[in-house]
Amino acid sequence: MYVRSLFVLLVLTVENVGAKVVVTFNPNWNKIFTGESLNMTCHVNSTVEDVTYQWFKDGYLIYSGKTFTISSAQVANNGNYQCQTGAGERSDSTRLEVHNGYVILQTSPYVYEGDNLTLRCHHHPGYLAKQTIFYKNNAVIKHWGPEDELHIENVDVNSNAKYKCTKQVNHHLLYYQHTDETSVSVQELFSLPAIRLSPYPLTEGDHMALTCHTILSPLRQTTVLQFAFYRDGQKIKEFSLSNKCEIQSVKQHDAGDYNCEIKTSNYRIKKMSTMLTIQVNRNSQKELFNHSETEVMSKPGRSLFITAVSVTSLVLVLVLVGTGLIFLYRTKHFLPVNQSPKAEVEERDEETENIYTEADINNRWQNLSQKSNVNDLVKENHFILC
């Protein structure tokens, strides 16, 4: 009746960092009567085979060995117990109370959020007892009943309270009412998660890694946790055993407000991290290149410059053509003296034609000098620019 199975208690965070020594009781009660027995076990997560154990009561060494047994408890066994492995640190203190009365209210030394809490209104062995009443902060939560245990499922911080029980116990041929009480403090199973970013700050193209960090209680290392991630309130990664969320090549649209959430496998405990605002910086080299290219292509004087160069080139071509025509005219005008009369007449005709041609060219140059539009220049002289 008095023996209860114990959970194995090891210390390990979610990130498997370090190890811690813990003390467990069997049976798992923080109070016992005189004459009852109890085993205390020292647990540690260690790969060392030959581990030495030492036990301390109220700071004094009392025993060496992994398990310390109290075969017939006495009031003198009241105290705070610790164990130590080798030269390592000692465990946290665990309180044991030994009573020599008629009724005690028992509970587990460790109560965590999400646990099923059991309170036991236990009377001294060898005595008859009647029904039990349970109270929470002096308010009745269970009336007279045949059971001496009260079960509360899925406790949380609202379960923190002072509990009390009342039971009628027969002694000296009569039934007398006896009462005991205990305070229950529900401990945190795992810490409030914190979302962490690497690298920081972020630039486009970086490999973004988010980590949902928490610390699991040293006494509940076997608890399975699951992790999910959110951006701007929308889930981007479903619950899984991995506490990481990664984006291979981050973009501008990946910026936003990120959260992570942790829950136990039985969905009893859920906790959301605080918000982390993530900004993605533009790639500086790419931005500089785009800026320079845009600046060159958008300069207001660029088109005017191209137009001026085209006009200048056209004018130079026209000058060269005019110079060639003049040179040709002068060459034909000064012919040798031994030419025939017929040739002389033809030469005069050509002279007249060349004079008209030169005059015509001069008139055209005067008209061209009065035109400012590049397209008119091109059309007048029959040039096509590609």
Side-chain angles (χ1 to χ4, degrees):
M1 179 177 180
Y2 302 116
V3 177
R4 290 174 177 265
S5 61
L6 295 176
F7 47 83
V8 178
L9 302 175
L10 301 174
V11 173
L12 205 60
T13 66
V14 170
E15 301 164 320
N16 287 334
V17 178
K20 185 177 177 65
V21 184
V22 294
V23 175
T24 62
F25 291 168
N26 186 8
N28 193 27
W29 302 119
N30 58 356
K31 296 180 183 179
I32 59 175
F33 280 118
T34 55
E36 293 184 325
S37 62
L38 179 77
N39 290 326
M40 299 183 188
T41 304
C42 188
H43 293 279
V44 64
N45 180 34
S46 175
T47 57
V48 180
E49 295 183 359
D50 297 329
V51 179
T52 59
Y53 300 89
Q54 292 181 316
W55 285 90
F56 298 84
K57 175 180 176 289
D58 297 329
Y60 295 95
L61 179 64
I62 58 171
Y63 180 75
S64 295
K66 184 173 183 178
T67 300
F68 174 61
T69 300
I70 299 176
S71 55
S72 180
Q74 302 298 320
V75 175
N77 294 124
N78 275 328
N80 298 309
Y81 290 83
Q82 295 173 283
C83 70
Q84 181 178 338
T85 58
E89 295 183 1
R90 297 183 188 180
S91 68
D92 294 334
S93 296
T94 305
R95 178 75 181 175
L96 174 67
E97 296 182 14
V98 181
H99 292 261
N100 186 19
Y102 291 96
V103 171
I104 54 176
L105 181 57
Q106 298 173 311
T107 189
S108 170
Y110 311 107
V111 181
Y112 288 90
E113 51 186 357
D115 282 355
N116 292 332
L117 173 65
T118 298
L119 295 168
R120 183 187 184 208
C121 194
H122 178 45
H123 64 278
H124 202 288
Y127 290 85
L128 297 176
K130 289 185 177 181
Q131 297 172 323
T132 307
I133 303 176
F134 286 92
Y135 303 82
K136 178 182 179 181
N137 295 331
N138 295 320
V140 176
I141 56 176
K142 185 178 180 181
H143 294 281
W144 291 110
E147 301 88 4
D148 60 357
E149 291 185 355
L150 173 67
H151 301 282
I152 304 175
E153 295 185 353
N154 194 18
V155 296
D156 54 22
V157 292
N158 296 322
S159 302
N160 290 342
K162 180 175 290 186
Y163 291 87
K164 181 174 67 173
C165 75
T166 298
K167 177 179 283 193
Q168 292 181 341
V169 179
N170 184 295
H171 54 96
H172 303 298
L173 303 178
L174 298 174
Y175 282 90
Y176 295 91
Q177 182 170 296
H178 296 277
T179 301
D180 191 32
E181 62 182 28
T182 187
S183 294
V184 173
S185 178
V186 179
Q187 301 182 50
E188 191 175 54
L189 179 61
F190 57 89
S191 63
L192 188 69
I195 187 168
R196 296 177 177 177
L197 169 66
S198 177
Y200 178 82
L202 272 178
T203 303
E204 284 182 312
D206 285 348
H207 177 93
M208 182 177 80
L210 294 172
T211 304
C212 194
H213 176 77
T214 189
I215 299 177
L216 186 63
S217 168
L219 303 176
R220 296 297 176 88
Q221 181 270 333
T222 56
T223 302
V224 177
L225 300 179
Q226 297 183 9
F227 306 82
F229 290 82
Y230 301 82
R231 180 179 64 228
D232 298 330
Q234 301 296 319
K235 186 178 290 186
I236 60 173
K237 184 180 180 183
E238 296 293 335
F239 280 105
S240 69
L241 298 179
S242 172
N243 69 333
K244 296 184 181 297
C245 177
E246 298 178 290
I247 299 177
Q248 294 298 327
S249 182
V250 69
K251 306 296 182 185
Q252 281 286 311
H253 64 260
D254 293 315
D257 296 326
Y258 285 77
N259 300 77
C260 68
E261 186 177 22
I262 303 179
K263 72 177 183 64
T264 55
S265 57
N266 58 12
Y267 291 85
R268 286 188 170 184
I269 306 297
K270 278 187 176 184
K271 295 184 180 181
M272 182 76 76
S273 72
T274 55
M275 184 181 299
L276 174 65
T277 300
I278 295 178
Q279 296 180 345
V280 179
N281 298 322
R282 294 187 181 277
N283 188 305
S284 58
Q285 294 181 352
K286 180 179 179 181
E287 184 177 1
L288 179 60
F289 175 79
N290 291 337
H291 176 72
S292 300
E293 182 180 16
T294 303
E295 183 179 5
V296 169
M297 295 302 295
S298 62
K299 286 194 175 189
R302 183 175 179 83
S303 60
L304 294 177
F305 173 76
I306 294 174
T307 302
V309 170
S310 301
V311 172
T312 303
S313 301
L314 181 58
V315 171
L316 288 175
V317 170
L318 294 176
V319 169
L320 290 175
V321 172
T323 303
L325 292 174
I326 293 172
F327 176 79
L328 181 61
Y329 164 74
R330 289 182 177 181
T331 302
K332 289 183 178 182
H333 182 71
F334 297 100
L335 288 175
V337 179
N338 58 358
Q339 287 183 346
S340 63
K342 183 178 180 179
E344 188 174 346
V345 172
E346 290 177 355
E347 181 179 353
R348 289 175 182 173
D349 294 337
E350 286 181 5
E351 265 186 318
T352 305
E353 184 178 352
N354 289 337
I355 291 172
Y356 290 148
T357 302
E358 183 176 5
D360 183 63
I361 291 174
N362 292 332
N363 290 334
R364 287 190 178 188
W365 274 109
Q366 291 178 359
N367 292 333
L368 287 175
S369 62
Q370 295 175 357
K371 295 181 181 290
S372 59
N373 188 289
V374 176
N375 293 330
D376 293 337
L377 290 174
V378 174
K379 182 176 179 181
E380 182 70 23
N381 291 276
H382 304 289
F383 285 97
I384 299 177
L385 299 179
C386 297

